[in-house]
């Protein structure tokens, strides 16, 4: 964690970048680490655009896995209520209450909204944000806000990994 000195050295880059990466799920800490990284990026123009992207993501709010899974549960309920009026949906709902599945380990091949959401949840549990986004997009406009949140966290993770790799390469090259 940053010591509070006015100037940052290249050797500060690696711990700051790792702290930034580790703080993605903590918005207050993430913003603090981002301020420190901003100070360091003044000497490294190749980092400035990355820091700006992280600031945009941070201002938009970076979701975490738990909040995304909660959003998926709300979407599932919304879609269930939307489809509730049809005879087939009522029949599926009634039959679904007879069978209780607690955990699906393998892939679910069906393309109904329940299966799509379950595949997205499994992908999120594995931190596979790309696959989760691909699945959620299949649900159309109603799922767009969740897909945007998944894309935002994935982009944030990619940028923070780039910054960690950048810091490592700079230290090695010294």
């Amino acid at each position: 964690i940053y010591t509070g000195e006015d100037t940052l050295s290249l050797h500060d880059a690696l711990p700051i970048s790792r702290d930034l990466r580790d703080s993605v799920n903590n918005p207050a800490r993430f913003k603090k680490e981002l301020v420190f990284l901003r100070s360091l990026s003044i000497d490294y123009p190749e980092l400035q655009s990355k820091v700006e992207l992280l600031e945009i993501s941070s201002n938009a709010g970076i979701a975490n896995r738990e909040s995304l899974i909660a959003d998926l549960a709300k979407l599932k309920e919304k879609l269930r209520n939307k489809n509730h009026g049809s005879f087939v949906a009522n029949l599926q709902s009634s039959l679904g209450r007879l069978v209780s599945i607690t955990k699906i380990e393998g892939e679910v091949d069906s393309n109904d909204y329940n299966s799509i959401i379950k595949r997205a949840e499994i992908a999120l549990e594995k931190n596979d944000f790309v696959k989760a986004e691909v699945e959620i997009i299949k649900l159309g406009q109603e799922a767009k806000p969740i897909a945007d949140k998944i894309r935002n966290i994935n982009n944030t993770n990619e940028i923070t990994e780039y910054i960690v790799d950048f810091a490592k390469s700079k230290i090695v090259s010294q």
Side-chain angles (χ1 to χ4, degrees):
I1 295 186
Y2 179 63
T3 60
E5 298 173 10
D6 286 12
T7 59
L8 297 172
S9 71
L10 185 56
H11 290 284
D12 294 321
L14 190 57
I16 289 172
S17 60
R18 285 181 177 157
D19 288 345
L20 179 75
R21 179 189 61 196
D22 296 342
S23 68
V24 168
N25 288 326
N26 182 335
R29 184 171 164 225
F30 185 79
K31 286 186 180 197
K32 181 180 175 187
E33 301 296 342
L34 201 50
V35 168
F36 300 139
L37 188 64
R38 166 62 80 189
S39 300
L40 181 66
S41 73
I42 292 170
D43 295 329
Y44 300 96
E46 55 269 54
L47 283 183
Q48 289 178 355
S49 64
K50 303 293 186 189
V51 171
E52 288 171 7
L53 289 172
L54 289 176
E55 288 171 341
I56 291 168
S57 289
S58 177
N59 291 336
I62 302 169
N64 59 36
R65 184 175 44 193
E66 292 76 24
S67 70
L68 289 170
I69 289 174
D71 287 346
L72 289 176
K74 290 176 190 172
L75 177 63
K76 185 175 182 178
E77 184 67 22
K78 181 179 178 181
L79 292 172
R80 187 185 68 76
N81 289 337
K82 180 180 172 183
N83 293 328
H84 188 66
S86 74
F87 173 75
V88 174
N90 287 334
L91 183 61
Q92 285 177 330
S93 177
S94 296
L95 291 174
R97 288 188 205 121
L98 296 175
V99 178
S100 177
I101 300 173
T102 56
K103 185 83 170 167
I104 297 176
E105 295 295 330
E107 286 295 316
V108 180
D109 292 331
S110 182
N111 282 322
D112 65 293
Y113 70 89
N114 284 314
S115 299
I116 292 170
I117 290 173
K118 183 46 101 177
R119 285 192 301 268
E121 287 173 350
I122 291 169
L124 287 173
E125 288 172 4
K126 294 178 180 179
N127 288 326
D128 187 348
F129 298 107
V130 173
K131 184 173 182 177
E133 182 183 358
V134 166
E135 289 298 331
I136 290 303
I137 288 172
K138 294 175 185 177
L139 296 173
Q141 280 301 111
E142 290 178 283
K144 187 177 180 330
I146 297 172
D148 291 344
K149 288 179 183 180
I150 293 171
R151 187 176 313 109
N152 188 22
I153 195 169
N154 189 49
N155 290 341
T156 301
N157 286 334
E158 286 178 1
I159 293 169
T160 57
E161 285 302 322
Y162 170 85
I163 292 170
V164 169
D165 292 343
F166 177 84
K168 286 178 185 176
S169 69
K170 288 295 181 184
I171 289 173
V172 168
S173 67
Q174 269 192 338

